[in-house]
Short mmCIF file of all heavy atoms in Angstrom, two decimals:
data_model
loop_
_atom_site.label_atom_id
_atom_site.label_comp_id
_atom_site.label_asym_id
_atom_site.label_seq_id
_atom_site.Cartn_x
_atom_site.Cartn_y
_atom_site.Cartn_z
N ARG I 6 -5.04 8.06 5.99
CA ARG I 6 -5.89 8.63 7.15
C ARG I 6 -5.74 10.15 7.17
O ARG I 6 -4.87 10.66 6.37
CB ARG I 6 -5.51 8.03 8.50
CG ARG I 6 -4.10 8.40 8.91
CD ARG I 6 -3.79 7.77 10.26
NE ARG I 6 -2.51 8.19 10.90
CZ ARG I 6 -1.33 7.85 10.64
NH1 ARG I 6 -1.18 6.93 9.71
NH2 ARG I 6 -0.32 8.39 11.25
N ASP I 7 -6.52 10.76 7.89
CA ASP I 7 -6.37 12.23 8.08
C ASP I 7 -5.17 12.62 8.82
O ASP I 7 -5.00 12.07 9.95
CB ASP I 7 -7.67 12.96 8.60
CG ASP I 7 -8.87 12.83 7.66
OD1 ASP I 7 -8.73 12.78 6.43
OD2 ASP I 7 -10.06 12.84 8.17
N ILE I 8 -4.38 13.58 8.38
CA ILE I 8 -3.32 14.01 9.13
C ILE I 8 -3.40 15.64 9.21
O ILE I 8 -4.01 16.17 8.18
CB ILE I 8 -1.97 13.51 8.60
CG1 ILE I 8 -1.65 13.92 7.08
CG2 ILE I 8 -1.83 12.06 8.88
CD1 ILE I 8 -0.34 13.53 6.61
N PHE I 9 -2.67 16.28 10.08
CA PHE I 9 -2.80 17.70 10.10
C PHE I 9 -1.39 18.35 10.20
O PHE I 9 -0.64 17.93 11.01
CB PHE I 9 -3.62 18.05 11.47
CG PHE I 9 -4.88 17.20 11.55
CD1 PHE I 9 -4.98 16.04 12.19
CD2 PHE I 9 -6.06 17.60 10.78
CE1 PHE I 9 -6.06 15.24 12.14
CE2 PHE I 9 -7.25 16.88 10.94
CZ PHE I 9 -7.21 15.78 11.61
N LEU I 10 -1.26 19.41 9.40
CA LEU I 10 -0.04 20.13 9.36
C LEU I 10 0.31 20.79 10.70
O LEU I 10 -0.41 21.39 11.29
CB LEU I 10 -0.13 21.27 8.32
CG LEU I 10 1.18 22.02 8.20
CD1 LEU I 10 2.36 21.17 7.70
CD2 LEU I 10 0.90 23.09 7.22
N ASP I 11 1.56 20.47 11.19
CA ASP I 11 2.10 21.05 12.37
C ASP I 11 2.81 22.18 11.95
O ASP I 11 4.13 22.07 11.53
CB ASP I 11 2.93 19.94 13.22
CG ASP I 11 3.45 20.51 14.43
OD1 ASP I 11 3.37 21.78 14.86
OD2 ASP I 11 3.87 19.59 15.25
N ARG I 12 2.33 23.37 12.01
CA ARG I 12 2.97 24.55 11.51
C ARG I 12 4.19 25.12 12.26
O ARG I 12 4.97 25.92 11.83
CB ARG I 12 1.91 25.73 11.43
CG ARG I 12 0.87 25.35 10.41
CD ARG I 12 0.04 26.69 10.07
NE ARG I 12 -0.81 26.45 8.98
CZ ARG I 12 -0.56 26.60 7.70
NH1 ARG I 12 0.72 27.04 7.42
NH2 ARG I 12 -1.40 26.35 6.76
N ARG I 13 4.39 24.45 13.51
CA ARG I 13 5.52 24.84 14.27
C ARG I 13 6.92 24.61 13.59
O ARG I 13 7.94 25.17 13.81
CB ARG I 13 5.66 24.27 15.61
CG ARG I 13 4.40 24.50 16.46
CD ARG I 13 4.50 23.78 17.78
NE ARG I 13 4.47 22.27 17.42
CZ ARG I 13 4.79 21.30 18.15
NH1 ARG I 13 5.25 21.53 19.39
NH2 ARG I 13 4.68 20.04 17.82
N HIS I 14 7.00 23.54 12.85
CA HIS I 14 8.25 22.99 12.19
C HIS I 14 8.51 23.49 10.74
O HIS I 14 9.78 23.59 10.53
CB HIS I 14 8.20 21.39 12.31
CG HIS I 14 8.19 20.90 13.63
ND1 HIS I 14 9.18 20.83 14.52
CD2 HIS I 14 7.11 20.22 14.32
CE1 HIS I 14 9.02 20.26 15.60
NE2 HIS I 14 7.68 20.04 15.58
N PHE I 15 7.60 23.80 9.99
CA PHE I 15 7.94 23.88 8.57
C PHE I 15 8.73 25.28 8.35
O PHE I 15 9.36 25.25 7.32
CB PHE I 15 6.73 23.77 7.70
CG PHE I 15 5.75 24.89 7.53
CD1 PHE I 15 6.02 25.86 6.68
CD2 PHE I 15 4.48 24.77 8.15
CE1 PHE I 15 5.11 26.87 6.48
CE2 PHE I 15 3.57 25.78 8.02
CZ PHE I 15 3.84 26.82 7.14
N PRO I 16 8.70 26.30 9.16
CA PRO I 16 9.50 27.47 8.83
C PRO I 16 11.04 27.14 8.72
O PRO I 16 11.75 27.69 7.95
CB PRO I 16 9.18 28.47 9.85
CG PRO I 16 7.96 28.10 10.40
CD PRO I 16 7.86 26.61 10.26
N LYS I 17 11.42 26.21 9.49
CA LYS I 17 12.89 25.86 9.35
C LYS I 17 13.17 25.03 8.11
O LYS I 17 14.45 24.70 7.84
CB LYS I 17 13.35 24.97 10.57
CG LYS I 17 12.76 23.70 10.72
CD LYS I 17 13.18 23.00 12.15
CE LYS I 17 12.41 21.81 12.50
NZ LYS I 17 12.71 21.39 13.75
N HIS I 18 12.31 24.80 7.31
CA HIS I 18 12.52 24.12 5.95
C HIS I 18 12.08 25.00 4.83
O HIS I 18 11.81 24.51 3.69
CB HIS I 18 11.76 22.78 5.95
CG HIS I 18 12.09 21.80 7.03
ND1 HIS I 18 13.39 21.27 7.10
CD2 HIS I 18 11.57 21.35 8.07
CE1 HIS I 18 13.59 20.55 8.11
NE2 HIS I 18 12.37 20.51 8.77
N LEU I 19 11.97 26.22 5.07
CA LEU I 19 11.67 27.23 3.90
C LEU I 19 12.86 28.25 3.79
O LEU I 19 13.44 28.62 4.81
CB LEU I 19 10.34 27.96 4.20
CG LEU I 19 9.10 27.08 4.21
CD1 LEU I 19 7.89 28.01 4.57
CD2 LEU I 19 8.88 26.46 2.86
#
Side-chain angles (χ1 to χ4, degrees):
R6 66 181 192 279
D7 289 335
I8 57 176
F9 310 94
L10 180 62
D11 187 346
R12 293 194 173 273
R13 296 175 301 160
H14 295 286
F15 80 81
K17 65 184 169 189
H18 299 296
L19 293 175

